[in-house]
């Protein structure tokens, strides 16, 4: 009897395309000129000169027809907009936090939380840093302490939960500086700078027990919380039958409060918020937002933006949506593997992180291998990624020296619902070509450096 053929069954996006935006094709000569003018910093390249934009998944998402319809329902009253109340209801329903303050984006919420919670001389432990998060903590007077598990700093380590906090590191810090000097533990999931790596529910529970024991608050950077929930469902024992919404709610239940850049999970182009179960923090934030953002019922947003966020919350917990989102990142990773291109394992939630240290082995870290690689890929094909290495890490505020992170990466980040599999193929083939020619690539020297978050605006010249 003939053997039955095993037929592969693929997944596909749970949506179809209704509106398209043409993109410009450029020549290599044009891109060489654009890269030079931008000081080899992909943040300074005009979007018009980019073919496939994998710079970030932040605010670059395609909204659904429901979200666009919601935009037409904007109630642009200065005070008490009905969209604010819709959004607040959904924050309560899905994140389980009773108190809520909208902000124009995530870092505005980080600014307020840092100002409210931190006193000069405090310490804020976190599972690896994020650029804006750490800067606001430092500006408020704290020293940031990385308490992520060691595996997170090793791009080859395949531990499925490299976003976990190392409880020993956290306990050591508490012993060393005392719980009174730690206003809160800052926990993100998945961890952006580690390669989009999630924490496990078990680790979160353990961290929460330790924090409670020492009366230290636990705050959540819930910017991509649904991606973390997806990984828990797929990889952690005992959670396979839970919905993304249930997992999100359970995760949030261990935190005192959270902040969100709505430009990610919520699939909008602008927005953020802070939510908490702590009445005192809420009262302070509600008052502070008036100074920096706008009235507490709009926080720097238009009514229509809040409506799109409210609808985005309902869409972000749909399993098929998040599976297709992470499925696209996985597809890119598996294709790159075929060419032997080294990148951070396991494949993370929002991006592929190319391992520039292993790709451009001949460049020392002070010649900015990741910055160089991002520029080379752009020149090759118009695919734009971003540096996540020594440039992003910035300078030590005490010594003024470069901080040299273990991870020297180029991030290829996937906007939600924007690109097709064919776009991914084009990007992969370009990266594979650059990888083939890697030995001829020369490094960069920094010629301009701003004081804060230098990676956004600094400039380089070719060596
Ligand atoms: N927290 C995380 C984990 C982030 O990834 C970001 C932004 C923020 C906070 C700040 O939010 O941009 O709305 O002010 N990440 C973007 C990125 C910029 O490209 O990863 P924001």
């Amino acid at each position: 009897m003939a053997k039955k053929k095993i037929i592969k069954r693929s997944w596909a996006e749970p949506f179809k395309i209704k509106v398209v935006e043409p993109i410009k094709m450029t020549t290599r000569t044009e891109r060489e000129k654009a890269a030079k003018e931008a000081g080899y910093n992909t943040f300074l390249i005009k979007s018009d000169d980019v073919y496939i934009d994998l710079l970030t998944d932040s605010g670059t998402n395609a909204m659904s027809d429901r979200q666009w319809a919601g935009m037409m329902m904007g109630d642009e009253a200065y005070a008490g907009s009905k969209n604010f109340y819709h959004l607040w209801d959904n924050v309560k329903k899905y994140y389980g936090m009773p108190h809520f303050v909208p902000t124009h984006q995530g870092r505005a919420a980080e600014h307020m939380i840092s100002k409210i919670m931190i006193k000069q001389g405090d310490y804020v432990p976190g599972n690896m840093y994020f650029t804006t998060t750490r800067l606001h903590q430092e500006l408020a007077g704290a020293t940031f302490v990385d308490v992520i598990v060691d595996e997170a700093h090793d791009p080859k380590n395949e531990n499925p939960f490299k976003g976990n906090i190392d409880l020993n590191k956290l306990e050591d810090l508490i012993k060393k500086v005392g719980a009174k000097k730690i206003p809160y533990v800052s926990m993100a999931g998945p961890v952006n700078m580690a390669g989009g790596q999630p924490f496990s529910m078990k680790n979160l529970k353990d961290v929460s027990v330790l924090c409670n024991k020492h009366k230290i608050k636990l705050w959540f950077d819930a910017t991509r919380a649904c991606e973390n929930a997806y990984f828990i469902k797929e990889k952690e024992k005992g959670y396979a039958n839970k919905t993304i919404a249930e997992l999100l709610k359970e995760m949030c239940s261990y935190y005192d409060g959270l902040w969100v850049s709505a430009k990610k999970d919520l699939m909008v182009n602008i927005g953020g918020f802070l939510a908490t179960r702590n009445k005192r923090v809420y009262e302070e934030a509600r008052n502070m937002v008036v100074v920096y953002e706008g009235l507490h019922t709009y926080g720097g947003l238009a009514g229509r933006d809040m409506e799109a966020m409210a609808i985005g919350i309902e869409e972000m917990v749909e399993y098929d949506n998040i599976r297709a989102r992470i499925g696209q990142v996985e597809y890119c990773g598996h294709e790159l593997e075929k060419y032997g291109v080294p990148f951070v394992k396991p494949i993370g939630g929002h991006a592929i992180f190319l391992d520039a240290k292993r790709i451009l082995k001949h460049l020392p870290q002070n010649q900015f291998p990741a910055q160089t690689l991002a520029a080379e890929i752009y020149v090759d094909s118009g695919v734009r990624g971003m540096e996540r290495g020594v440039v992003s890490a910035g300078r030590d505020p005490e010594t003024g020296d470069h901080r040299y992170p273990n991870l020297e990466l180029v991030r290829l980040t996937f906007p939600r619902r924007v690109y097709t599999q064919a776009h991914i193929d084009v990007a992969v083939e370009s990266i594979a070509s650059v990888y083939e020619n890697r030995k001829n690539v020369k490094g960069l020297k920094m010629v301009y450096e701003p004081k804060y978050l230098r990676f956004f605006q600094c400039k380089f010249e070719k060596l």
Side-chain angles (χ1 to χ4, degrees), residues 43 55-58 104-110 130-133 188-193 221-224 259-264 270-272 350 386 388 411 413 455-456:
F43 280 103
L55 184 75
T56 177
D57 62 336
S58 183
H104 82 280
Q105 59 183 80
R107 69 197 70 181
E110 291 173 341
F130 184 70
T131 53
T132 57
T133 318
V191 180
N192 193 345
M193 302 300 278
D221 181 341
T223 293
R224 296 184 184 81
W259 66 89
V260 168
S261 165
K263 300 168 77 174
K264 284 82 165 176
I270 195 71
H350 63 308
M386 81 156 73
R388 295 274 85 154
R411 190 182 75 171
T413 333
F455 56 94
F456 283 130

